[in-house]
Amino acid sequence: MTRVLFVLLILGWAMMPSGGNAQEVAEPLVRPELPKEWSRAVRGFRREHNFSVSYGLVTSRWKGHLTDDANIFSFSNEGHQARISYSFHLPLMGRFGYYLGTQTSVLVAASSRDSKGGEISYGLPGLNVGVILNLSDRVRVASGLELGWHRIEKLGLPESFERKRISVTGETRTWNGQVDYFYELSWAVQLTYEASELNYAPAESLSLHKVSRSWSLGILKHLI
């Protein structure tokens, strides 16, 4: 009887799973070092929260005139822009969906040959809406429209004007297109193109119109 119990105890111990061995052989649902397994987490569409930080170059063309002066002036400048943005992505059908978001930016432009001073402006958070297509687990493209405002500090006017610098806040409309390439499961390189239009036309003051084009490169984080 004792021998039988002893044999049963040995067999039972041998058949029991080892906690240490089970932990060693267990594999996570997704291993970030294996892109072919990303689909188990992405499932065709990268949903919800996305944060990005980018830096780029901006070229702008200004036109304007004083309300009591028919003479229209124009000048150009070039600058550097840093931008922080957030977007929330939702699917519509398969890999295709839409996003809602907001962004803020800082632009610093140097003086040009036909503008005595430079420009410092701040993009106030507005509404950014658009459509997005996930081409694969690694690549997605998007296009959208942003409505917001820019606060322009000490914009330099042409030398022919009595007022050399002004500070104004203008409404902006910005069309943007972007490409995201995910080099890791939740980290991507983002390339963005923006075409922006700013209008400032109060009843009694200086009327301004600005058209800008920018290219920027940044880092994006997708919270999976």
Side-chain angles (χ1 to χ4, degrees):
M1 183 66 178
T2 304
R3 182 178 299 177
V4 173
L5 291 175
F6 181 73
V7 172
L8 290 176
L9 288 174
I10 292 177
L11 290 175
W13 176 81
M15 295 176 64
M16 289 180 60
S18 173
N21 293 336
Q23 186 174 5
E24 292 178 1
V25 299
E27 296 184 359
L29 177 62
V30 177
R31 289 181 289 181
E33 70 274 12
L34 297 179
K36 64 182 180 181
E37 297 187 1
W38 290 2
S39 59
R40 301 170 64 183
V42 176
R43 300 186 185 278
F45 188 92
R46 290 181 173 272
R47 302 166 181 258
E48 300 182 351
H49 307 286
N50 294 263
F51 299 87
S52 67
V53 179
S54 62
Y55 170 82
L57 301 178
V58 183
T59 59
S60 302
R61 182 71 179 176
W62 290 86
K63 288 185 178 181
H65 65 90
L66 295 171
T67 53
D68 57 353
D69 189 345
N71 294 325
I72 298 177
F73 66 88
S74 65
F75 62 91
S76 302
N77 57 21
E78 297 181 353
H80 305 266
Q81 177 178 267
R83 187 182 73 245
I84 300 175
S85 62
Y86 164 79
S87 59
F88 189 88
H89 296 193
L90 290 170
L92 287 175
M93 181 176 61
R95 295 177 178 269
F96 179 74
Y98 68 99
Y99 68 86
L100 302 173
T102 187
Q103 66 181 29
T104 183
S105 61
V106 177
L107 168 64
V108 179
S111 57
S112 61
R113 62 182 181 181
D114 53 356
S115 174
K116 185 175 181 180
E119 169 196 353
I120 300 177
S121 65
Y122 308 93
L124 307 179
L127 176 62
N128 197 354
V129 297
V131 293
I132 190 161
L133 176 64
N134 290 248
L135 299 178
S136 68
D137 294 340
R138 279 185 176 272
V139 182
R140 68 182 179 187
V141 293
S143 178
L145 178 68
E146 182 196 11
L147 303 176
W149 301 267
H150 266 72
R151 174 62 183 176
I152 304 166
E153 298 289 351
K154 299 181 179 180
L155 172 67
L157 297 179
E159 295 185 3
S160 58
F161 278 77
E162 180 179 354
R163 296 177 62 188
K164 302 304 180 184
R165 292 181 181 273
I166 60 171
S167 297
V168 297
T169 300
E171 297 181 354
T172 57
R173 294 191 303 271
T174 303
W175 173 84
N176 55 70
Q178 65 187 41
V179 179
D180 302 331
Y181 174 76
F182 286 85
Y183 59 90
E184 290 187 2
L185 177 62
S186 60
W187 289 95
V189 176
Q190 184 178 77
L191 177 64
T192 305
Y193 172 76
E194 291 184 327
S196 179
E197 182 179 357
L198 178 144
N199 287 291
Y200 174 78
E204 67 293 330
S205 184
L206 178 69
S207 175
L208 286 173
H209 178 76
K210 171 183 151 180
V211 176
S212 300
R213 303 289 185 268
S214 69
W215 287 96
S216 60
L217 187 65
I219 297 295
L220 180 141
K221 172 66 174 178
H222 174 215
L223 299 184
I224 293 188

